[in-house]
């Protein structure tokens, strides 16, 4: 069945240099023949024993296609039903010598009509066919034909992999490229900077850095409007890119700030021509709103490793040199020197204060409820950390988690979160609350510490906590970074009775093999797939596939980031029974959880947001933040 009116162009345009998906054909024109594996079919008049023997010889064989005399597919014989049918006593003698036609027509054998598609069918259309027909085909497979004749069989899980890879490409692009100008953003710039520095160390060369700021950009924005300001930034990015060398990286790292990363610099003077070309290129008028606008830039430079071997410090020195140009009127270029005035980066201050905050117990946990989508009954909570800063007030994790990771404070911070979560479980128990599962995020750095299972064992004994109430959330990257030691550590954690969830599933490596190998209990569907799921077909397809995959592997599944009733409805309809998000409740202080829980249990049919507030006035540190970044 080949669908008509194929409509699959719903992904962002990815730059040519972006090769996250190695096979370009999969990105530009994904057809189902990419998925087709040749599996030798069986003829409908062959004996049933032939199929049984092939299933026993090949454990990886999930289904066998059946064809007629004209090589037309007529059925899929699926392993679970077939082997179960023939595993009963004496059935081999009774049915083994009969042909497959007899098997397919037997009342005790339940065969699913196969999905048959032409090899020119698109991946998106096949996904919609599978969803519309029966998600069981995600496990049994799809028959691929060429002009009606059998060609091969496509694994439904491979279909999920392709869809996930394409979604990852979109997510990677959005995370690493600036949406306004299309050039790399701060994240990708930093990654390339680190690679360039390592390459320079091996070759004995240098890395140049140009820090560029648009002069008087605020005046342009205020006088001509934000649309004109955006147009200026796009033109500035284009002129910088045209002035840079082919091997250089041009990135936008903040509002009107750009950088040029120059690889393989052998002489500091090599940077001068590029910087001067950029300065001169800006002096040409920009045609905006039927008028010529001239904007200039200030540029500062620094060189690795001559000026500094630390990347953040080097960026600060180039920034300082640029600032001196700006203070002198702009429209010029200056290199960093020992006489350049420096200042303390704010990140260093935050790092020092965060270290003290951990020691002084200035952190606090909030808890976001996880609910049954149908009844809205609370089934657990996710622990989220906040920093109760003595001067700045309650800080969301977005303002300090990245600094904690860079400074390796994430390990003691993670241990504090674990201990506080266990302490809170004990406190709730002493208050007479019903047992509540608490999900706790574990960072990759903390997971790499070999003492994690022993630390958990100590906390379980110290606070007398039922391990069934504790769930650790790990990212796919945490599992894949040290593959050789992961299995042993996960087994040690599972032996304690603690459950394990994969956070942000589908945004990482998308390797399904580890789901079978590792003792995983739950998959968390990432919020990027849930957002506007009712309006985004690819998101709906991926979520349906993840739910089907979890069901086939007997894994629990929960969706995060549910903010609208329409998203909840789509997820519930596809068989996802659990979720969390602002639709139900924002993260709450521990005392608020204790006050809300009885009300939510008695009014489980209502969203939490519709329930009256607790009897007491919420504490100042219970205010929600619009963006939740868990730890």
């Amino acid at each position: 069945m080949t669908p008509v009116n194929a409509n699959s162009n719903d992904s962002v345009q990815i730059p040519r240099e972006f090769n996250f998906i190695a096979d370009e054909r999969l990105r530009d024109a994904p057809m189902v023949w990419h998925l087709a594996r040749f599996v030798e079919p069986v003829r409908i008049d062959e004996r049933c024993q032939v199929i049984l023997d092939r299933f026993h010889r090949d454990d990886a064989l999930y289904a066998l296609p059946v064809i007629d005399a004209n090589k037309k597919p007529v059925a899929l014989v699926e392993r679970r039903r077939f082997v179960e049918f023939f595993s009963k006593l004496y059935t081999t003698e009774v049915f083994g010598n009969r042909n497959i036609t007899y098997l397919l027509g037997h009342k005790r054998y339940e065969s699913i009509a196969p999905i048959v598609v032409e090899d020119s069918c698109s991946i998106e259309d096949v996904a919609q066919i599978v969803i519309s027909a029966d998600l069981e085909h995600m496990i049994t497979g799809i028959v691929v034909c060429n002009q009606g004749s059998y060609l091969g069989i496509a694994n439904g899980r491979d279909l999920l992999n392709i869809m996930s890879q394409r979604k990852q490409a979109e997510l990677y692009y959005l995370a690493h490229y600036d949406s306004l100008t299309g050039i790399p953003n701060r994240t990708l710039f930093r990654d390339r900077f680190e690679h360039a520095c390592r390459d320079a160390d091996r070759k004995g060369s240098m890395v140049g850095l140009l820090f560029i700021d648009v002069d008087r950009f605020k005046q342009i924005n205020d006088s001509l409007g934000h649309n004109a300001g955006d147009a200026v930034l796009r033109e500035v990015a284009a002129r910088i890119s045209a002035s840079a060398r082919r091997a250089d990286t041009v990135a936008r790292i903040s509002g009107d700030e750009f950088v040029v990363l120059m690889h393989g610099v052998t002489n500091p003077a090599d940077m001068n021509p590029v910087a001067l070309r950029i300065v001169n290129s800006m002096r040409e008028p920009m045609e905006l709103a039927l008028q010529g606008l001239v904007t200039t830039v200030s540029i500062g430079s620094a060189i690795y490793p001559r000026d500094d071997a630390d990347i953040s410090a080097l960026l600060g020195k180039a920034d300082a040199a640029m600032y001196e140009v700006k203070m002198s009127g702009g429209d010029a270029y200056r290199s960093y020197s020992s006489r350049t005035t420096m200042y303390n980066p704010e990140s260093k201050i935050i790092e020092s204060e965060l270290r003290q905050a951990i020691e002084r117990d200035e952190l606090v946990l909030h808890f976001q409820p996880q609910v049954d989508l149908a009844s809205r009954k609370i089934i657990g909570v996710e622990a989220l950390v906040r920093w109760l800063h003595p001067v700045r007030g309650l800080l969301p994790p977005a303002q300090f988690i990245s600094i904690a990771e860079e400074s390796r404070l994430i390990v003691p911070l993670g241990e504090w979160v674990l201990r506080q979560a266990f302490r809170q479980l004990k406190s709730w128990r002493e208050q007479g609350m019903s047992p509540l599962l608490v999900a706790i995020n574990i960072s990759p750095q903390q997971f790499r510490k070999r003492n994690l299972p022993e630390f958990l064992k100590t906390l379980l004994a110290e606070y007398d906590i039922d391990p069934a109430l504790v769930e650790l959330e790990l990212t796919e990257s945490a599992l894949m970074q040290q593959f050789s030691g992961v299995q042993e550590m996960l087994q040690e954690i599972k032996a304690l009775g603690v459950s394990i969830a994969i956070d942000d599933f589908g945004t990482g490596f998308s390797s399904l093999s580890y789901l079978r190998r590792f003792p995983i209990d739950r998959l968390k569907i990432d919020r990027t797939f849930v957002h506007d799921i009712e309006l985004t077909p690819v998101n709906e397809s991926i979520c349906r596939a993840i739910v089907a995959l979890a069901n086939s592997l007997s894994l629990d599944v929960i969706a995060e980031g549910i903010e609208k009733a329409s998203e909840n409805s789509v997820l519930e309809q596809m068989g996802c029974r659990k979720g969390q998000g602002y639709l139900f409740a924002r993260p709450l202080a521990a005392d608020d959880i204790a006050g809300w829980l009885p009300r939510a249990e008695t009014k489980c049919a209502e969203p939490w947001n519709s329930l009256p507030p607790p009897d007491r006035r919420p504490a100042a540190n219970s205010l929600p933040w619009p963006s939740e970044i868990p730890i």
Side-chain angles (χ1 to χ4, degrees):
M1 62 183 83
T2 303
V4 295
N5 298 327
N7 187 3
S8 60
N9 187 22
D10 57 358
S11 60
V12 298
Q13 294 297 315
I14 299 172
R16 275 293 176 190
E17 67 170 319
F18 175 52
N19 58 359
F20 183 69
I21 299 179
D23 191 341
E24 189 174 45
R25 294 169 302 177
L26 294 181
R27 186 177 69 234
D28 294 335
M31 298 301 175
V32 75
W33 67 264
H34 290 291
L35 296 177
R37 298 176 178 174
F38 177 75
V39 176
E40 183 181 356
V42 292
R43 299 174 68 92
I44 198 166
D45 56 355
E46 288 193 75
R47 293 185 303 116
C48 294
Q49 187 65 45
V50 173
I51 294 182
L52 184 61
D53 291 342
R54 287 185 63 183
F55 278 148
H56 284 317
R57 286 197 307 269
D58 189 353
D59 291 338
L61 200 60
Y62 46 88
L64 276 174
V66 181
I67 62 172
D68 61 17
N70 297 318
K71 296 185 178 180
K72 305 293 184 183
V74 295
L76 266 181
V77 180
E78 192 255 328
R79 165 182 291 274
R80 290 179 299 171
R81 291 188 177 86
F82 186 84
V83 174
E84 179 184 359
F85 181 63
F86 273 91
S87 65
K88 294 180 173 62
L89 193 60
Y90 304 123
T91 53
T92 302
E93 288 80 356
V94 176
F95 297 102
N97 287 320
R98 295 186 182 271
N99 60 30
I100 297 171
T101 304
Y102 181 84
L103 171 69
L104 295 176
H106 196 278
K107 63 181 180 180
R108 296 186 61 188
Y109 182 77
E110 299 176 5
S111 61
I112 298 178
I115 288 180
V116 181
V117 298
E118 284 292 317
D119 57 350
S120 59
C121 188
S122 72
I123 297 293
E124 291 81 1
D125 289 333
V126 173
Q128 290 301 318
I129 293 172
V130 172
I131 291 168
S132 300
D134 188 340
L135 283 173
E136 186 73 21
H137 292 284
M138 191 60 68
I139 310 302
T140 59
I142 304 126
V143 178
V144 183
C145 289
N146 183 282
Q147 297 182 355
S149 295
Y150 172 77
L151 180 67
I153 182 170
N155 189 337
R157 294 177 184 174
D158 291 341
L159 175 64
L160 170 60
N161 266 341
I162 295 296
M163 293 166 60
S164 296
Q165 286 177 354
R166 298 186 69 205
K167 188 64 179 182
Q168 287 174 35
E170 293 183 23
L171 296 175
Y172 185 94
Y173 176 75
L174 294 174
H176 293 81
Y177 287 83
D178 177 51
S179 59
L180 176 65
T181 62
I183 62 177
N185 62 11
R186 177 186 286 270
T187 301
L188 184 55
F189 157 73
R190 186 174 185 86
D191 180 66
R192 291 187 179 179
F193 202 168
E194 291 173 351
H195 282 287
C197 291
R198 288 195 293 268
D199 188 58
D201 291 340
R202 288 192 299 269
K203 297 178 179 179
S205 60
M206 295 177 287
V207 179
L209 180 66
L210 299 178
F211 195 103
I212 306 165
D213 187 272
V214 181
D215 296 331
R216 294 172 291 280
F217 179 72
K218 187 177 185 302
Q219 295 179 16
I220 297 174
N221 243 355
D222 293 344
S223 59
L224 300 180
H226 291 291
N227 289 338
D230 289 347
V232 168
L233 293 177
R234 284 192 291 267
E235 181 63 23
V236 167
R239 295 188 182 188
I240 295 175
S241 299
S243 302
R245 304 175 307 173
R246 181 179 296 272
D248 297 340
T249 294
V250 178
R252 180 187 179 204
I253 60 173
S254 67
D256 63 332
E257 293 178 337
F258 299 82
V259 291
V260 177
L261 174 63
M262 301 182 63
H263 303 259
V265 174
T266 57
N267 189 318
D270 294 344
M271 303 176 64
N272 296 339
V274 176
L276 292 176
R277 279 200 301 269
I278 295 172
V279 170
N280 292 331
S281 71
M282 298 301 167
R283 293 169 179 165
E284 292 293 326
M286 300 180 184
E287 296 300 327
L288 296 174
L290 303 179
Q291 60 180 328
L293 173 68
V294 175
T295 184
T296 60
V297 294
S298 299
I299 304 179
S301 71
I303 297 177
Y304 172 92
R306 185 194 70 179
D307 296 326
D308 210 298
D310 180 81
I311 295 176
S312 297
L314 192 72
L315 190 64
K317 289 180 178 179
D319 186 13
M322 180 278 299
Y323 192 73
E324 287 191 347
V325 173
K326 192 169 285 291
M327 292 299 98
S328 300
D331 191 25
Y333 157 65
R334 181 171 300 178
S335 300
Y336 170 82
S337 71
S338 58
R339 297 184 299 275
T340 302
T341 303
M342 293 297 298
Y343 58 92
N344 292 326
E346 185 180 2
S347 62
K348 292 297 181 183
I349 299 175
I350 296 178
E351 177 185 336
S352 176
E353 292 180 343
L354 180 58
R355 193 181 304 274
Q356 295 176 2
I358 298 173
E359 296 172 354
R360 297 173 180 174
D361 211 27
E362 293 178 357
L363 303 171
V364 64
L365 284 187
H366 283 188
F367 299 87
Q368 185 168 34
Q370 299 175 333
V371 304
D372 180 279
L373 296 185
S375 68
R376 304 292 175 90
K377 183 176 181 180
I378 304 169
I379 58 172
V381 292
E382 180 181 4
L384 301 165
V385 68
R386 302 287 187 270
W387 180 2
L388 195 57
H389 195 282
V391 177
R392 305 181 188 184
L394 192 67
L395 301 181
Q399 297 188 21
F400 61 88
I401 288 298
S402 60
I403 295 174
E405 290 173 339
E406 293 175 1
S407 62
R408 297 194 176 276
L409 287 174
I410 196 71
V411 174
L413 176 59
E415 291 179 348
W416 182 92
V417 170
L418 276 170
R419 180 174 293 278
Q420 185 62 28
F422 278 60
R423 182 181 292 130
Q424 190 58 60
L425 274 171
K426 180 180 179 181
S427 175
W428 282 337
R429 183 183 65 210
E430 292 173 346
Q431 296 175 43
M433 277 180 52
S434 302
L436 203 59
L437 175 74
V438 175
I440 308 165
N441 289 266
I442 303 296
S443 72
Q445 290 185 38
Q446 188 178 4
F447 185 67
R448 287 195 294 267
K449 300 283 287 185
R450 288 296 305 166
N451 68 338
L452 178 59
E454 189 62 33
F455 184 63
L456 287 170
K457 182 178 180 180
T458 301
L459 291 180
L460 287 169
E462 181 179 346
Y463 293 99
D464 189 23
I465 299 300
D466 180 357
L469 299 179
V470 179
E471 179 178 84
L472 300 187
E473 292 188 359
L474 302 166
T475 61
E476 292 177 275
S477 59
L479 294 179
M480 304 303 289
Q481 282 181 354
Q482 51 160 12
F483 192 85
S484 60
V486 168
Q487 181 79 29
E488 181 182 354
M489 180 174 288
L490 291 179
Q491 292 292 358
E492 291 177 11
I493 293 173
K494 285 290 293 181
L496 297 174
V498 174
S499 59
I500 298 170
I502 302 300
D503 197 15
D504 302 337
F505 182 74
T507 63
F509 291 84
S510 278
S511 174
L512 302 182
S513 61
Y514 72 78
L515 294 181
R516 294 182 177 275
R517 186 176 297 109
F518 297 154
I520 295 164
D521 301 287
R522 177 188 287 188
L523 303 181
K524 291 195 73 176
I525 301 177
D526 184 67
R527 66 181 64 244
T528 56
F529 301 137
V530 173
H531 180 65
D532 285 340
I533 187 173
E534 76 281 14
L535 305 174
T536 313
V538 67
N539 284 3
E540 181 180 355
S541 299
I542 289 177
C543 288
R544 286 187 182 273
I546 292 175
V547 171
L549 176 65
N551 290 338
S552 71
L553 297 176
S554 299
L555 299 177
D556 195 14
V557 63
I558 183 171
E560 59 181 350
I562 303 174
E563 298 184 358
K564 298 182 294 184
S566 54
E567 295 168 347
N568 181 98
S569 178
V570 172
L571 289 165
E572 189 177 350
Q573 182 272 331
M574 69 177 59
C576 179
R577 293 183 292 275
K578 300 174 183 177
Q580 68 183 86
Y582 287 179
L583 176 65
F584 315 111
R586 294 171 179 262
L588 302 169
D591 291 344
D592 288 339
I593 288 286
W596 281 76
L597 186 57
R599 297 161 180 259
E601 289 179 341
T602 57
K603 299 188 178 184
C604 61
E606 300 181 53
W608 273 39
N609 289 339
S610 70
L611 296 179
D615 294 334
R616 68 177 184 83
R617 182 182 179 86
N621 62 2
S622 67
L623 295 176
W625 289 90
S627 176
E628 305 302 333
I629 300 181
I631 176 174

